[in-house]
Amino acid sequence: MKLPDPHQKHDHNNHQSTQNNPDPCDGLEMDAVALNEEGVPYFFKGDYVFKGFGGQAKMINKSFPEVDNHHQMDHIDAAFRMHHDDDPTHNNIFFILDDMVYSYYQYKLEEGYPKNISEVFPGIPDHLDAAVECPKPECDEHSVIFFKGHDSYHFNVKTKAVEKKKFESMPNCTSAFRFMEHYYCFHGHMFSKFDPKTGEVHGKQPKDVRDYFMRCSSEGSNHTERERCSRVHLDAVTSDQAGHMYAFRGHYFLQKDKDGVLKADTIEHAFKELHSDVEAVFSHDDHLYMIKDDNVFAYTVGENHTLLDGYPKPLKEELGIEGHIDAAFVCEDHQHVHIIKGQHIYNVDMKASPRAATGKGKLLLLSKVNAAMCGPEGLKVIVGNNYYRYNSTMLFVAGRALPEQHRVSQELFGCDH
């Protein structure tokens, strides 16, 4: 493990790792990174795994007990998910430790494993640094790229041919990660985005893993750049009648004005009563309504956001509904707010007294919605790192097929990577 940079901009006072409770916000050098079968990123360090971008340290042996039984196992050398429709290894997670390969499907070790690396990936050396899958057309052929020192080995999944390359412009990867069809070389607590065919490093690199792939609080960092390009899903999003968009994630929020100017700030600074972790937000009658836990907070819209008198109010009293809310939005009919709770959607008439959640409908195609908002382009429904656009709420609820998928970071916030 590399020691954290003492000049790093992150506030480590609140993130003290111990041997029993490592914290990725301390600047840990990850041993391996891979998506699980459901697309959740797993970050491996020593005996621990961090599940998701904000996951707490869990023992690897709770999910993958056989890996922990590997002789003298102190860390995983490499890990990757294999996704190939025509191959029995479809959606498997591979772990490489020294010269042995472990293959898991649905968290169960496959029969016959572990196997020697020469048997599974002939021509690939042992004691690797990193590995990542590269499907077509991102690579010319469906491949797995293995890294060891300055060398990369491109393993053709179909023919088992190996092409050795040197990626001169890349640092030595301690782990590698494919996410949203982009490729990242992790080195220490930094990462560089690269082209899997040429090894060319894109844009201003390297960047801090904690600013893009972890939920870490920090001081003095470029909040706007980090939040614009973060791969962590949004907690809530809305747009007001003036055309300003507000997007909330963890302790921060992004505000995008009608001219496209984007800035980030802490939620606590602008909405001091909330502090962090907004569950849902919607705009109505020139006010921002924010839902957190079982309460509704209402703020004025403008340069300064002031909590309205009498707020917060209980969720049941204000909107006539109870329990965790996933998303809320108001569309062209500014009288009604639509509330998503699990796979159900409700309507609340904001002019009614008392208010009640009515018209319960079921979402047929999406099992989880993170956020949603209406605007001139229609309804945008955010699921993970992507969103779907609908012309109306009715089409969203009654639709029989998902529309084209769009990327939140790139198409909502203009991230260039």
Side-chain angles (χ1 to χ4, degrees):
M1 183 185 80
K2 293 182 180 178
L3 294 176
D5 183 349
H7 302 293
Q8 241 303 318
K9 61 195 177 186
H10 288 261
D11 177 12
H12 300 305
N13 294 329
N14 295 323
H15 297 285
Q16 293 299 319
S17 290
T18 66
Q19 185 175 0
N20 295 324
N21 188 30
D23 190 332
C25 294
D26 278 348
L28 300 182
E29 177 182 283
M30 294 298 170
D31 300 322
V33 185
L35 295 176
N36 75 351
E37 294 163 12
E38 293 79 35
V40 176
Y42 280 13
F43 299 84
F44 298 91
K45 179 63 184 178
D47 295 325
Y48 295 90
V49 57
F50 305 91
K51 298 181 179 182
F53 296 112
Q56 299 297 311
K58 304 291 184 182
M59 297 296 294
I60 292 176
N61 60 15
K62 299 297 183 182
S63 300
F64 309 101
E66 296 84 0
V67 169
D68 192 54
N69 294 333
H70 183 82
H71 65 92
Q72 296 180 335
M73 183 274 188
D74 61 354
H75 72 277
I76 293 171
D77 290 332
F80 61 93
R81 182 182 72 169
M82 178 76 80
H83 181 98
H84 188 41
D85 293 337
D86 300 325
D87 193 279
T89 56
H90 172 69
N91 260 6
N92 284 33
I93 301 178
F94 284 93
F95 297 101
I96 301 175
L97 290 78
D98 299 332
D99 58 353
M100 301 302 293
V101 177
Y102 294 73
S103 176
Y104 283 85
Y105 178 67
Q106 296 182 346
Y107 298 94
K108 293 182 179 180
L109 186 68
E110 288 204 290
E111 185 177 352
Y113 284 88
K115 297 180 180 180
N116 193 279
I117 192 170
S118 61
E119 180 180 353
V120 185
F121 303 109
I124 301 301
D126 52 25
H127 293 83
L128 294 163
D129 295 324
V132 64
E133 183 196 25
C134 185
K136 291 177 67 175
E138 295 160 30
C139 281
D140 293 332
E141 299 293 338
H142 183 207
S143 307
V144 180
I145 306 174
F146 297 92
F147 299 89
K148 185 171 183 177
H150 295 288
D151 298 321
S152 65
Y153 300 81
H154 297 243
F155 181 86
N156 187 309
V157 173
K158 184 176 181 179
T159 68
K160 300 188 182 300
V162 177
E163 182 181 3
K164 184 177 178 180
K165 298 181 180 180
K166 283 189 181 294
F167 285 167
E168 300 290 350
S169 63
M170 280 178 59
N172 289 356
C173 303
T174 54
S175 56
F177 187 37
R178 175 181 179 263
F179 188 67
M180 291 178 64
E181 301 176 7
H182 295 289
Y183 292 79
Y184 303 92
C185 166
F186 287 62
H187 40 99
H189 57 75
M190 309 298 286
F191 73 90
S192 299
K193 182 185 174 188
F194 69 95
D195 186 320
K197 294 181 180 180
T198 65
E200 179 184 356
V201 174
H202 300 280
K204 297 178 180 179
Q205 311 287 345
K207 297 180 180 179
D208 198 305
V209 171
R210 295 169 290 183
D211 284 344
Y212 294 86
F213 294 100
M214 303 291 176
R215 285 187 183 269
C216 301
S217 60
S218 57
E219 290 185 352
S221 62
N222 186 339
H223 300 320
T224 301
E225 174 65 15
R226 183 192 65 244
E227 292 299 316
R228 177 203 302 267
C229 296
S230 175
R231 270 47 176 179
V232 181
H233 70 74
L234 294 176
D235 297 325
V237 65
T238 191
S239 60
D240 61 26
Q241 288 177 292
H244 301 139
M245 180 174 69
Y246 304 83
F248 299 83
R249 177 192 291 117
H251 291 263
Y252 294 88
F253 77 100
L254 282 163
Q255 182 175 336
K256 183 178 178 182
D257 67 22
K258 59 184 178 181
D259 297 319
V261 177
L262 192 71
K263 66 177 181 179
D265 200 352
T266 63
I267 293 174
E268 186 173 30
H269 181 260
F271 308 95
K272 62 181 181 180
E273 293 83 4
L274 278 171
H275 183 66
S276 63
D277 299 319
V278 176
E279 292 177 8
V281 59
F282 64 92
S283 303
H284 172 69
D285 197 22
D286 283 332
H287 296 135
L288 294 176
Y289 289 81
M290 302 186 186
I291 301 170
K292 181 176 181 179
D293 299 326
D294 295 320
N295 292 300
V296 178
F297 299 73
Y299 288 89
T300 57
V301 173
E303 288 191 20
N304 298 313
H305 303 287
T306 304
L307 187 69
L308 299 184
D309 289 341
Y311 286 87
K313 293 182 180 180
L315 177 62
K316 176 65 174 177
E317 174 187 326
E318 182 72 354
L319 297 175
I321 193 169
E322 294 180 293
H324 175 77
I325 303 301
D326 293 309
F329 59 94
V330 173
C331 286
E332 57 279 348
D333 179 1
H334 300 293
Q335 181 175 329
H336 292 87
V337 56
H338 306 281
I339 296 176
I340 297 174
K341 181 180 176 182
Q343 281 191 277
H344 293 95
I345 185 168
Y346 303 82
N347 296 328
V348 177
D349 186 345
M350 294 296 288
K351 292 185 178 180
S353 181
R355 294 167 183 159
T358 62
K360 180 179 178 181
K362 185 174 177 61
L363 305 181
L364 300 177
L365 299 177
L366 296 174
S367 60
K368 172 68 175 177
V369 172
N370 295 116
M373 70 172 180
C374 263
E377 296 179 336
L379 172 64
K380 294 176 181 175
V381 178
I382 297 174
V383 180
N385 302 286
N386 303 299
Y387 71 89
Y388 303 95
R389 190 162 58 211
Y390 297 86
N391 289 331
S392 68
T393 305
M394 184 183 69
L395 291 175
F396 165 53
V397 177
R400 298 293 178 177
L402 288 174
E404 181 183 357
Q405 198 175 71
H406 301 268
R407 292 178 183 167
V408 171
S409 59
Q410 291 180 325
E411 298 185 55
L412 284 188
F413 303 132
C415 178
D416 61 358
H417 64 274

